[in-house]
Amino acid sequence: MAAKRFDQQMQAYGRWKSDLTAAIERYQRWRDANGMGDAEEEIRIYETLQSLKSDRLTVAFVAEFARGKTELINAIFFSEYDRRLLPSEAGRTTMCPTELFFDDDHGSAYVRLLPIETRLKETSIAEYKAEPIHWTSIDLELDNPDSMAEAFHEIVKVKRVSLEEARALGLYGEDELPPPGEAPGVEVPVWRHALISFPHPLLKQGLVILDTPGLNALGSEPELTLSMLPNAQAVVFVLAADTGVTKSDLDMWQANVKPLRNGHDQGLVVVLNKVDTLWDELKSPDQIAASVEQQRHRAAESLGIDVGHIFPASAQKGLLAKIRHDGELLERSNIPTLEGILAGDVLPHKQKLVQEHVREGIGGMVRETHDLLASRLKAAKKQLDELQGLSGKNNEVIEHLMKTTREEQAAYYKNVESFQANKRLLAEQSRKLMELLSLSALDQLVATTRKEMSDSWTTGGLKRGMKTFFDGVAVRMQEVDEYSEQLNRLVLTVYRKFHQEHGITEIKPALYLTDKYTKELNRLYEEAEAFRNSPVTTMTEQSFVVKKFFISLVSHARNIFFKARSDAEQWSKAVMSPLVQQIKDHKGHMEQRLENLRKINESRDTLQSRIEELEKITRVQARHFGEIRAILEAINRPIEEEPAPAAAVAGAGG
């Protein structure tokens, strides 16, 4: 069954991650045992290990109100509790973004709720997460389902506030008229954000579920669109078969979902829920299937995607079928197909992202160690072959070899002087790179943008302010890109020259590349455009929009530049290290070679002992090389993917 497949895939993912962690820990121990510990590199290894341990697979569910999104979460993940774990009945809909996960560092399950009033402060949700004192916390009684259900109902609570309060919170447009009826004020959510730590097996294996409210919440909480949704490995966009694609569905798709995938469909699942509303008992199974297929085509046409990417399902019937152990109804609900997509598509994609992160973090370091050991092994074998070839040779041959080696040594020392000069030049040019990535310069641009936006109260003025910011950021990153290319060329030239002139094993240096930062900034710009053009933004009180959006925008842009600068500093310090070590090794090999020849020239009795000593050294070098090669293979091991399930069939109604 697909549900079991998803469990198995999650377990396989956990095993793969454990193997990867073990390989990195072996590398860490090997470095310590062989005296190759470097403070900065040790920090990189530690950070990589920590990121693996804290790694999460986030699946975000996005939909307008009353699309059955929370019921879908119940059906896919929480059916074994034989009840609706999360509130999803009529009239009860998620009012605040909710994250479900397992907190390893906390001793018990809990619900933490952030009051809606925190929207009045210039503090992000991410910052509030680091300060539990601001949250209302409820401990969950795992052996009391009724108590748990009551705690979970907190996330749907609303309260009535005045229009002025709602507008101050950014939850009611300045130009909106008061709602009809006698009750004064408007209803707003009691909570801004909810965190649920729960010891579900999948959550304990690293799954995180992000349940988002409708378009209003997405539009008024920039952090969702700028951070939480883009960082999710999968986004499940839920439509309803009984309503079709409404205007608000389409607005949400265009502004908040479609831009997340940057033009590709990896990690995006569109679910046409509530197909059971089309199960007309007066129609034949073929007629019902045709109705479902018609709705799929209409939805695909409205969203501008291939019909094969629309998956029909009935979350309510799927949950009911699992509770009643009704296999026929479960298949008809099409829930197993969705579980198969998560197992066969989303998880392997996540594995690739983790592997790329490890390769980026320490993969180059392990590769450099591998290449350095290959160079040492080659040099040791070369010396051994030379000594073995001296058996029976006269003193003139040995003296000639000594003379040749001294000449190589003299040329080597001359080249080392040139290398040191290039190393100093690189250090000087790296300082200019740091200046281009200066956060203080970025902060000046931020201040200019803030003033321009604050002084303008028109939509055009806001857009000009944001354009000023992004144009400035783009120009600065372009300068960084062009300058880093110069530095990369210098590094490649220095490496190539030394390798060619001394015939030592070629090591490819790590280069400083800016593509990933440029892509992140471009995505941030797209999100900014979507937010500014969102109908919710247009309706919301303008000063609140500026304040909240600017907090998210600035923090993300600064984070990108901070990471770019941090990586540049790390790169400039480490880029020459492999060649420096190789130069040091080469110097040692030449000195050892001369010493061997001198002693053999003085007494032929030392030849065999030197050969035996080199054979021992070669065996040790070969063992070290084999160990690092195995670690490198573990880091780069291809990931075995389960075949993805076939595309959804219209039979989800038949």
Side-chain angles (χ1 to χ4, degrees):
M1 183 174 281
K4 188 175 181 181
R5 276 193 57 220
F6 183 68
D7 287 346
Q8 290 174 336
Q9 194 80 348
M10 280 294 292
Q11 291 167 3
Y13 174 62
R15 288 193 299 271
W16 171 82
K17 202 164 57 171
S18 295
D19 291 343
L20 189 59
T21 301
I24 297 171
E25 288 173 340
R26 287 204 311 275
Y27 178 62
Q28 189 178 41
R29 290 193 297 271
W30 185 92
R31 287 171 59 87
D32 291 340
N34 290 278
M36 293 185 67
D38 173 90
E40 292 187 4
E41 291 182 342
E42 283 300 313
I43 290 173
R44 284 168 61 190
I45 294 172
Y46 173 78
E47 289 176 343
T48 302
L49 287 171
Q50 288 301 112
S51 69
L52 278 173
K53 290 174 182 175
S54 61
D55 170 64
R56 297 288 184 267
L57 168 71
T58 301
V59 180
F61 286 76
V62 182
E64 258 295 18
F65 292 112
R67 300 299 185 262
K69 166 177 49 62
T70 306
E71 187 81 329
L72 189 62
I73 295 173
N74 281 325
I76 294 176
F77 301 107
F78 300 120
S79 60
E80 68 268 30
Y81 292 92
D82 290 339
R83 62 177 299 161
R84 287 188 178 93
L85 197 62
L86 300 179
S88 61
E89 62 267 28
R92 295 282 189 175
T93 186
T94 307
M95 297 304 296
C96 67
T98 303
E99 292 178 71
L100 293 96
F101 59 99
F102 178 67
D103 187 349
D104 292 287
D105 299 325
H106 200 272
S108 60
Y110 61 76
V111 176
R112 286 181 184 164
L113 302 153
L114 187 65
I116 195 68
E117 287 76 17
T118 57
R119 288 171 62 88
L120 298 171
K121 298 180 180 179
E122 295 192 4
T123 305
S124 67
I125 294 173
E127 291 172 307
Y128 275 122
K129 285 180 180 179
E131 300 177 0
I133 192 173
H134 296 288
W135 300 71
T136 295
S137 186
I138 304 172
D139 288 335
L140 291 176
E141 300 177 44
L142 298 178
D143 56 351
N144 189 338
D146 292 332
S147 175
M148 283 196 298
E150 184 179 346
F152 290 148
H153 268 283
E154 281 288 333
I155 64 178
V156 303
K157 283 189 174 180
V158 296
K159 63 181 178 181
R160 190 166 290 277
V161 300
S162 67
L163 292 180
E164 290 73 20
E165 288 178 280
R167 285 167 179 156
L169 290 167
L171 297 174
Y172 206 75
E174 186 69 41
D175 300 327
E176 287 187 78
L177 296 174
E182 298 181 2
V186 293
E187 282 190 345
V188 299
V190 172
W191 310 108
R192 177 184 180 187
H193 200 83
L195 301 173
I196 300 178
S197 174
F198 193 74
H200 185 278
L202 297 181
L203 301 182
K204 291 176 78 170
Q205 291 170 20
L207 178 67
V208 176
I209 298 169
L210 175 61
D211 186 6
T212 64
L215 180 62
N216 285 333
L218 283 176
S220 62
E221 197 67 80
E223 232 171 318
L224 276 173
T225 54
L226 294 174
S227 176
M228 295 181 192
L229 289 180
N231 289 333
Q233 282 72 52
V235 174
V236 180
F237 183 57
V238 186
L239 302 167
D242 57 345
T243 61
V245 181
T246 66
K247 182 181 182 304
S248 59
D249 287 324
L250 194 56
D251 287 341
M252 180 178 282
W253 169 262
Q254 295 289 354
N256 304 116
V257 180
K258 188 178 179 181
L260 296 175
R261 301 297 110 182
N262 292 323
H264 62 80
D265 297 320
Q266 186 71 56
L268 176 61
V269 180
V270 181
V271 177
L272 183 66
N273 193 25
K274 299 189 178 183
V275 293
D276 55 290
T277 60
L278 304 177
W279 296 356
D280 189 338
E281 294 183 3
L282 297 179
K283 291 183 178 180
S284 68
D286 288 343
Q287 289 174 320
I288 293 173
S291 297
V292 173
E293 187 68 11
Q294 187 178 49
Q295 284 290 70
R296 287 180 70 212
H297 278 84
R298 286 175 180 171
E301 184 178 353
S302 298
L303 301 182
I305 61 175
D306 187 88
V307 69
H309 294 141
I310 304 285
F311 295 90
S314 171
Q316 192 272 332
K317 299 303 181 187
L319 178 61
L320 177 65
K322 287 186 174 183
I323 291 173
R324 292 181 176 176
H325 306 288
D326 186 337
E328 183 179 344
L329 182 60
L330 181 61
E331 288 300 319
R332 195 179 182 198
S333 74
N334 213 33
I335 291 298
T337 298
L338 298 179
E339 294 170 337
I341 290 294
L342 293 174
D345 179 22
V346 175
L347 265 171
H349 178 60
K350 169 63 174 175
Q351 287 178 310
K352 289 178 182 177
L353 293 177
V354 171
Q355 192 171 56
E356 287 171 7
H357 173 72
V358 170
R359 287 172 179 168
E360 181 182 312
I362 67 164
M365 190 194 310
V366 180
R367 167 60 68 182
E368 288 168 3
T369 303
H370 174 275
D371 293 347
L372 183 62
L373 291 179
S375 177
R376 288 177 179 177
L377 183 58
K378 179 182 177 182
K381 287 181 176 179
K382 182 179 179 182
Q383 282 193 53
L384 181 60
D385 290 343
E386 185 177 74
L387 291 186
Q388 289 172 336
L390 290 177
S391 297
K393 295 291 191 295
N394 58 34
N395 288 353
E396 289 182 0
V397 172
I398 296 174
E399 288 174 359
H400 175 73
L401 283 173
M402 291 175 67
K403 179 184 177 183
T404 302
T405 303
R406 288 193 184 99
E407 290 173 354
E408 290 177 6
Q409 196 176 44
Y412 162 81
Y413 285 132
K414 186 176 180 181
N415 281 334
V416 167
E417 292 177 7
S418 173
F419 166 75
Q420 294 295 351
N422 283 324
K423 191 178 176 185
R424 287 191 293 272
L425 176 61
L426 178 65
E428 291 172 6
Q429 294 189 358
S430 294
R431 282 192 286 274
K432 183 177 177 182
L433 180 63
M434 296 305 109
E435 292 173 6
L436 290 172
L437 288 166
S438 167
L439 287 179
S440 59
L442 179 65
D443 287 339
Q444 291 177 5
L445 177 62
V446 167
T448 301
T449 304
R450 185 184 290 275
K451 185 177 186 306
E452 184 175 335
M453 291 178 63
S454 299
D455 292 345
S456 176
W457 295 104
T458 65
T459 302
L462 290 178
K463 288 189 175 183
R464 281 193 300 274
M466 287 298 158
K467 190 174 189 306
T468 298
F469 179 79
F470 277 106
D471 285 349
V473 168
V475 168
R476 180 60 58 93
M477 190 53 72
Q478 180 64 31
E479 292 175 355
V480 170
D481 181 60
E482 292 172 357
Y483 196 74
S484 64
E485 285 186 10
Q486 296 178 30
L487 290 179
N488 288 333
R489 284 196 294 270
L490 173 60
V491 169
L492 288 169
T493 300
V494 173
Y495 268 75
R496 190 181 302 114
K497 180 182 178 183
F498 221 92
H499 291 148
Q500 289 175 349
E501 292 184 354
H502 295 285
I504 54 182
T505 304
E506 183 178 354
I507 294 179
K508 293 182 180 179
L511 303 179
Y512 182 71
L513 305 174
T514 63
D515 291 354
K516 59 182 178 181
Y517 313 118
T518 301
K519 287 179 181 177
E520 286 185 54
L521 287 170
N522 288 340
R523 182 183 63 76
L524 189 59
Y525 177 70
E526 290 174 2
E527 290 296 327
E529 284 291 302
F531 179 80
R532 291 200 305 275
N533 295 324
S534 166
V536 175
T537 302
T538 304
M539 293 186 295
T540 305
E541 201 278 318
Q542 201 161 10
S543 63
F544 182 88
V545 171
V546 171
K547 179 176 68 174
K548 283 297 176 186
F549 177 72
F550 210 73
I551 292 170
S552 300
L553 175 64
V554 169
S555 65
H556 277 74
R558 288 188 94 261
N559 284 342
I560 293 170
F561 265 79
F562 177 81
K563 183 70 166 61
R565 181 184 173 86
S566 176
D567 289 349
E569 286 178 343
Q570 193 177 76
W571 172 81
S572 64
K573 291 176 183 176
V575 65
M576 286 298 177
S577 297
L579 187 55
V580 168
Q581 185 62 53
Q582 202 174 27
I583 288 170
K584 192 183 296 182
D585 284 352
H586 192 60
K587 175 176 179 290
H589 291 319
M590 284 192 294
E591 291 174 349
Q592 184 63 53
R593 186 181 177 200
L594 277 171
E595 179 66 11
N596 287 337
L597 292 171
R598 185 184 66 78
K599 289 189 175 183
I600 293 167
N601 194 39
E602 292 174 357
S603 172
R604 290 306 181 96
D605 294 338
T606 61
L607 177 58
Q608 187 57 38
S609 64
R610 288 287 169 178
I611 289 175
E612 291 173 358
E613 184 180 339
L614 262 176
E615 285 176 338
K616 183 179 179 181
I617 290 172
T618 303
R619 286 195 295 271
V620 171
Q621 295 283 13
R623 189 179 73 249
H624 286 328
F625 178 72
E627 290 171 356
I628 296 302
R629 187 171 201 169
I631 291 170
L632 187 63
E633 287 174 353
I635 290 175
N636 293 317
R637 184 171 295 130
I639 298 162
E640 296 181 5
E641 297 186 17
E642 297 241 354
V649 294

PDB file of all heavy atoms in Angstrom, residues 119 194 216 422 465 498 500 524 559 632:
ATOM      1  N   ARG A 119       1.630  41.017  15.875  1.00  0.00           N
ATOM      2  CA  ARG A 119       1.743  41.648  14.549  1.00  0.00           C
ATOM      3  C   ARG A 119       1.971  43.154  14.659  1.00  0.00           C
ATOM      4  O   ARG A 119       2.407  43.794  13.693  1.00  0.00           O
ATOM      5  CB  ARG A 119       0.474  41.378  13.727  1.00  0.00           C
ATOM      6  CG  ARG A 119       0.345  39.943  13.257  1.00  0.00           C
ATOM      7  CD  ARG A 119      -1.029  39.680  12.641  1.00  0.00           C
ATOM      8  NE  ARG A 119      -1.255  40.494  11.461  1.00  0.00           N
ATOM      9  CZ  ARG A 119      -0.909  40.153  10.229  1.00  0.00           C
ATOM     10  NH1 ARG A 119      -0.264  39.021  10.025  1.00  0.00           N
ATOM     11  NH2 ARG A 119      -1.176  40.934   9.213  1.00  0.00           N
ATOM     12  N   ALA A 194       1.041  28.923  15.019  1.00  0.00           N
ATOM     13  CA  ALA A 194       0.964  27.788  15.944  1.00  0.00           C
ATOM     14  C   ALA A 194       2.081  26.792  15.656  1.00  0.00           C
ATOM     15  O   ALA A 194       2.401  26.507  14.493  1.00  0.00           O
ATOM     16  CB  ALA A 194      -0.395  27.094  15.823  1.00  0.00           C
ATOM     17  N   ASN A 216      -5.956  35.656   2.594  1.00  0.00           N
ATOM     18  CA  ASN A 216      -5.784  36.821   3.457  1.00  0.00           C
ATOM     19  C   ASN A 216      -4.565  36.663   4.360  1.00  0.00           C
ATOM     20  O   ASN A 216      -3.780  37.588   4.536  1.00  0.00           O
ATOM     21  CB  ASN A 216      -7.034  37.044   4.314  1.00  0.00           C
ATOM     22  CG  ASN A 216      -8.174  37.633   3.501  1.00  0.00           C
ATOM     23  OD1 ASN A 216      -7.935  38.306   2.513  1.00  0.00           O
ATOM     24  ND2 ASN A 216      -9.394  37.353   3.902  1.00  0.00           N
ATOM     25  N   ASN A 422      52.124  35.661  -5.563  1.00  0.00           N
ATOM     26  CA  ASN A 422      50.744  35.518  -6.042  1.00  0.00           C
ATOM     27  C   ASN A 422      49.759  35.342  -4.888  1.00  0.00           C
ATOM     28  O   ASN A 422      48.623  35.816  -4.935  1.00  0.00           O
ATOM     29  CB  ASN A 422      50.648  34.317  -6.988  1.00  0.00           C
ATOM     30  CG  ASN A 422      51.204  34.615  -8.364  1.00  0.00           C
ATOM     31  OD1 ASN A 422      51.061  35.723  -8.867  1.00  0.00           O
ATOM     32  ND2 ASN A 422      51.860  33.628  -8.959  1.00  0.00           N
ATOM     33  N   GLY A 465      10.275  52.540  -4.824  1.00  0.00           N
ATOM     34  CA  GLY A 465      11.176  52.314  -3.705  1.00  0.00           C
ATOM     35  C   GLY A 465      11.768  50.917  -3.735  1.00  0.00           C
ATOM     36  O   GLY A 465      12.975  50.727  -3.542  1.00  0.00           O
ATOM     37  N   PHE A 498      52.103  25.689 -11.135  1.00  0.00           N
ATOM     38  CA  PHE A 498      52.899  24.863 -10.229  1.00  0.00           C
ATOM     39  C   PHE A 498      52.818  23.392 -10.596  1.00  0.00           C
ATOM     40  O   PHE A 498      53.812  22.666 -10.547  1.00  0.00           O
ATOM     41  CB  PHE A 498      52.437  25.074  -8.779  1.00  0.00           C
ATOM     42  CG  PHE A 498      53.582  25.155  -7.816  1.00  0.00           C
ATOM     43  CD1 PHE A 498      54.142  26.377  -7.483  1.00  0.00           C
ATOM     44  CD2 PHE A 498      54.131  24.004  -7.272  1.00  0.00           C
ATOM     45  CE1 PHE A 498      55.212  26.454  -6.605  1.00  0.00           C
ATOM     46  CE2 PHE A 498      55.201  24.069  -6.397  1.00  0.00           C
ATOM     47  CZ  PHE A 498      55.746  25.299  -6.062  1.00  0.00           C
ATOM     48  N   GLN A 500      52.227  22.086 -13.569  1.00  0.00           N
ATOM     49  CA  GLN A 500      52.913  21.817 -14.835  1.00  0.00           C
ATOM     50  C   GLN A 500      54.426  21.858 -14.676  1.00  0.00           C
ATOM     51  O   GLN A 500      55.146  21.020 -15.235  1.00  0.00           O
ATOM     52  CB  GLN A 500      52.462  22.832 -15.891  1.00  0.00           C
ATOM     53  CG  GLN A 500      51.030  22.633 -16.362  1.00  0.00           C
ATOM     54  CD  GLN A 500      50.560  23.722 -17.312  1.00  0.00           C
ATOM     55  OE1 GLN A 500      51.226  24.759 -17.474  1.00  0.00           O
ATOM     56  NE2 GLN A 500      49.412  23.506 -17.946  1.00  0.00           N
ATOM     57  N   LEU A 524      13.740  36.313  -4.492  1.00  0.00           N
ATOM     58  CA  LEU A 524      13.244  37.286  -3.525  1.00  0.00           C
ATOM     59  C   LEU A 524      12.549  38.445  -4.241  1.00  0.00           C
ATOM     60  O   LEU A 524      11.509  38.934  -3.801  1.00  0.00           O
ATOM     61  CB  LEU A 524      14.406  37.806  -2.677  1.00  0.00           C
ATOM     62  CG  LEU A 524      14.059  38.676  -1.469  1.00  0.00           C
ATOM     63  CD1 LEU A 524      13.158  37.925  -0.504  1.00  0.00           C
ATOM     64  CD2 LEU A 524      15.330  39.139  -0.770  1.00  0.00           C
ATOM     65  N   ASN A 559      20.522  38.516   4.811  1.00  0.00           N
ATOM     66  CA  ASN A 559      20.977  37.144   5.027  1.00  0.00           C
ATOM     67  C   ASN A 559      21.730  36.601   3.819  1.00  0.00           C
ATOM     68  O   ASN A 559      22.737  35.898   3.954  1.00  0.00           O
ATOM     69  CB  ASN A 559      19.792  36.224   5.346  1.00  0.00           C
ATOM     70  CG  ASN A 559      19.290  36.401   6.765  1.00  0.00           C
ATOM     71  OD1 ASN A 559      19.997  36.948   7.616  1.00  0.00           O
ATOM     72  ND2 ASN A 559      18.070  35.964   7.027  1.00  0.00           N
ATOM     73  N   LEU A 632      34.700   9.523   0.471  1.00  0.00           N
ATOM     74  CA  LEU A 632      34.264  10.350  -0.660  1.00  0.00           C
ATOM     75  C   LEU A 632      33.170   9.652  -1.450  1.00  0.00           C
ATOM     76  O   LEU A 632      32.195  10.282  -1.882  1.00  0.00           O
ATOM     77  CB  LEU A 632      35.462  10.662  -1.556  1.00  0.00           C
ATOM     78  CG  LEU A 632      35.220  11.651  -2.702  1.00  0.00           C
ATOM     79  CD1 LEU A 632      34.848  13.027  -2.152  1.00  0.00           C
ATOM     80  CD2 LEU A 632      36.460  11.757  -3.591  1.00  0.00           C
TER      81      LEU A 632
END
